[in-house]
Amino acid sequence: MLTKKPPFHAIKLCDKNNLESMGGGGVEQTECSGNQLSFQGAGGREIVAKFDGGQLSSDGGGGLLLREVERRTGLVRQFAACFRDYRNPLLVEHSLGALIAQRVMGLALGYEDLNDHDQLRHDPLIAMLVDKADPTQALAGKSTLNRLELTPEGHGEDRYKRIVYDEEAIDRFFVSAFVQAHATVPERIMLDLDTTDDEIHGNQEGRFFHGYYGAYCYLPLYIFSGELLMCARLRRANIGPAEGTVEELDRIVSQIRQSWPEVAITIRADSGFCRDEVMTWCEEHRVDYVVGLARNARLERMIEGEMDQARADSERTSQPARIFKEIEYQTLDSWTRTRRVVGKAEYLIDKPNARFVVTSFPIDVFSGQTLYEDEYCGRGEMENRIKEQKSFLFSDRTSAATMRANQLRLWFSSVAYLLMSALRRLGLKDTDLAKAQCDTIRLKLFKIGARIRVTARRIWVSLSSAYPMAALFARVCSNLAHASP
């Protein structure tokens, strides 16, 4: 009786002992030489694989498209300008720009760990992506890249760790990138504020247990406008969600108004940001707000009549029903003034669902229903952007020992997000992938087998002839070629 062959077997050294161990029991033996992989045959032919294809890359599409996006936007170059390099230029093999680009592009291509770069450093396509003068030369390994994170604040006094980032310059960079993404001055922009949990699993600096999330974590603050990221601030978890919000808004709004003095600005956030100091700052700086307000017994009493009516409507139609009510409201001791609150009295067939938002908009600008359904509920899209960055661009890969290093990791992920967002905006417009998330873009457009040949005058990138989305890829390249820088 024949023994079933395993799906495949890998033979690293083909000697007599290896061949004998593969035999026995009537199993067909497979000849091999060198580092060879042997698989079950097909159509009477043996299937044998070897890693001898030459200069090949599995990121052919990503290398070409991301490089074109960077050429059009200059995002990585602007980010690299926020660092100070105190190394001796006569002893430098890998430039500052190449180090930053390698780290950011690696995240965009799906390589989350520094250890990945010990293999990626030999990929000529990634060398081309970071503008290495000779793509056949190796890039930086994990130890060199790690020095970016380990350099302490100061002037690079350490012998090896001599590249220092400028936090204020990086903050300005994200706002500048937002402004540059607009071809024309918008009449109004919406700033969405939110936090998320960034779980940590070691003894990192700033480690605290968060009761709501039930884990040790950081609590980073994000500020988006649409899908454009303007702030990613790593924070300890032993603070409230709104901690530091006024300072972030002050610098962001001031920088935006340097370019767009007359633009109307609105902030939108959940009840964690419903603090008097935040709303007072907005009122004093011509910034409108639509912010969730946590329900309490006093507010619920104010909409009892509307809730009874919503319940009656729901029971009559067997459908959810909602009624909105205008309320002039002031807390007993935490607010300095009375503000407009919109109450939503909603009955969901089997239970009440009361919600409240506080706003600076008068009723003649937005009715209660429009304010809640169109203005406030739109903030859910920001949550999708945060999830996208966490899940596919590894913003929660904060396993370094210090908060300074982990903040830089969060910024690397954020710049990778800006690149992917720019690719969506400039390259994928009017295609089926115009709203695709990063993992879909990566799977369908980045992971293309490519052979690289370097000659005296050209770098030839031969993409797989079997790639099924060649027409879409060509269209994306055409969109990028005609995009305004």
Side-chain angles (χ1 to χ4, degrees):
M1 180 178 179
L2 290 178
T3 304
K4 184 178 180 181
K5 287 187 70 174
F8 70 91
H9 47 267
I11 310 162
K12 293 187 176 180
L13 293 174
C14 295
D15 55 18
K16 181 178 179 181
N17 292 332
N18 281 335
L19 292 175
E20 289 177 353
S21 65
M22 291 168 52
V27 179
E28 178 186 356
Q29 297 185 19
T30 303
E31 297 295 332
C32 60
S33 61
N35 297 328
Q36 181 172 295
L37 303 174
S38 178
F39 297 82
Q40 294 189 58
R45 296 180 176 89
E46 293 183 8
I47 298 177
V48 179
K50 293 182 67 176
F51 289 99
D52 60 353
Q55 296 285 10
L56 300 175
S57 174
S58 59
D59 295 295
L64 295 171
L65 294 181
L66 289 175
R67 186 176 187 276
E68 192 66 21
V69 171
E70 164 58 18
R71 288 283 179 168
R72 291 287 168 180
T73 62
L75 288 169
V76 177
R77 294 194 301 275
Q78 293 179 65
F79 180 58
C82 302
F83 293 73
R84 297 294 174 264
D85 190 351
Y86 294 97
R87 297 176 297 172
N88 184 343
L90 299 178
L91 303 177
V92 170
E93 179 180 358
H94 307 292
S95 69
L96 172 61
L99 293 175
I100 302 296
Q102 184 179 343
R103 190 73 170 92
V104 171
M105 297 298 185
L107 291 169
L109 291 171
Y111 303 103
E112 65 178 290
D113 204 302
L114 276 172
N115 293 333
D116 296 328
H117 289 271
D118 270 6
Q119 287 75 44
L120 295 175
R121 65 194 300 256
H122 301 292
D123 189 325
L125 195 66
I126 296 182
M128 181 193 70
L129 177 57
V130 304
D131 281 338
K132 194 76 171 176
D134 183 357
T136 62
Q137 292 183 350
L139 296 170
K142 65 177 186 294
S143 299
T144 302
L145 291 171
N146 197 33
R147 295 173 187 173
L148 295 170
E149 302 173 359
L150 297 182
T151 303
E153 186 176 5
H155 299 288
E157 302 292 343
D158 189 278
R159 180 179 179 183
Y160 298 106
K161 308 174 186 68
R162 302 177 62 83
I163 300 176
V164 184
Y165 69 73
D166 183 337
E167 183 172 343
E168 292 183 0
I170 293 175
D171 287 338
R172 292 192 298 271
F173 155 74
F174 282 106
V175 182
S176 296
F178 166 76
V179 173
Q180 294 167 18
H182 292 77
T184 60
V185 179
E187 294 183 3
R188 179 190 179 210
I189 59 175
M190 180 78 76
L191 304 184
D192 286 308
L193 288 69
D194 207 351
T195 62
T196 188
D197 62 312
D198 179 355
E199 288 194 29
I200 55 180
H201 306 282
N203 292 316
Q204 289 98 316
E205 179 187 4
R207 178 177 183 265
F208 284 97
F209 186 85
H210 197 288
Y212 177 81
Y213 295 110
Y216 287 93
C217 63
Y218 293 127
L219 196 69
L221 170 66
Y222 283 93
I223 299 179
F224 280 80
S225 181
E227 72 169 274
L228 298 173
L229 173 65
M230 276 190 283
C231 174
R233 179 74 64 211
L234 194 67
R235 307 178 303 172
R236 290 175 168 85
N238 62 335
I239 61 174
E243 185 79 20
T245 297
V246 169
E247 291 77 10
E248 301 294 349
L249 288 174
D250 187 59
R251 68 169 182 82
I252 289 173
V253 170
S254 297
Q255 187 174 347
I256 290 174
R257 284 182 172 158
Q258 289 175 8
S259 300
W260 304 330
E262 303 302 322
V263 67
I265 301 175
T266 303
I267 72 164
R268 178 169 56 187
D270 63 18
S271 59
F273 295 85
C274 187
R275 298 294 181 266
D276 186 73
E277 62 269 21
V278 176
M279 294 183 287
T280 298
W281 182 90
C282 290
E283 292 157 356
E284 293 174 350
H285 292 81
R286 297 186 296 115
V287 175
D288 289 302
Y289 56 85
V290 182
V291 180
L293 175 60
R295 59 191 176 196
N296 56 49
R298 184 174 161 215
L299 283 168
E300 289 179 336
R301 284 196 298 271
M302 293 180 177
I303 61 169
E304 281 182 348
E306 288 74 17
M307 187 63 77
D308 290 340
Q309 182 179 344
R311 179 174 183 172
D313 292 344
S314 178
E315 291 175 346
R316 184 180 68 256
T317 63
S318 298
Q319 297 292 328
R322 57 173 56 174
I323 299 172
F324 294 90
K325 182 179 182 179
E326 295 289 333
I327 302 171
E328 291 294 317
Y329 181 75
Q330 182 175 2
T331 61
L332 297 178
D333 54 12
S334 60
W335 288 8
T336 56
R337 52 161 292 183
T338 299
R339 295 182 169 98
R340 179 193 176 196
V341 171
V342 173
K344 182 191 72 168
E346 182 176 45
Y347 202 84
L348 301 174
I349 301 178
D350 59 343
K351 62 180 179 180
N353 181 41
R355 291 289 185 271
F356 302 89
V357 295
V358 57
T359 183
S360 61
F361 287 112
I363 191 172
D364 59 341
V365 176
F366 293 114
S367 66
Q369 182 172 358
T370 300
L371 183 86
Y372 186 88
E373 295 180 344
D374 297 339
E375 293 294 301
Y376 180 70
C377 289
R379 61 174 298 274
E381 183 60 23
M382 179 199 184
E383 297 177 358
N384 293 332
R385 303 283 74 80
I386 294 176
K387 291 176 183 177
E388 181 178 29
Q389 190 180 352
K390 287 179 66 175
S391 300
F392 310 128
L393 294 170
F394 322 112
S395 64
D396 58 351
R397 190 68 168 84
T398 48
S399 56
T402 66
M403 286 197 69
R404 178 177 175 81
N406 286 322
Q407 174 66 79
L408 182 56
R409 289 188 173 192
L410 177 57
W411 281 331
F412 282 145
S413 170
S414 299
V415 179
Y417 171 85
L418 291 183
L419 278 174
M420 298 297 283
S421 176
L423 175 58
R424 263 197 300 253
R425 186 175 68 253
L426 302 176
L428 302 183
K429 62 181 181 180
D430 302 324
T431 71
D432 293 340
L433 299 180
K435 295 184 178 180
Q437 290 195 328
C438 293
D439 62 328
T440 302
I441 296 172
R442 191 180 288 149
L443 176 65
K444 294 191 175 183
L445 293 178
F446 286 6
K447 299 301 178 181
I448 309 175
R451 181 185 297 276
I452 296 90
R453 291 184 295 117
V454 181
T455 65
R457 299 182 59 184
R458 288 185 174 89
I459 299 175
W460 297 89
V461 182
S462 301
L463 300 176
S464 169
S465 301
Y467 175 56
M469 304 183 73
L472 174 61
F473 189 88
R475 184 176 179 185
V476 174
C477 292
S478 176
N479 286 344
L480 288 174
H482 293 89
S484 299

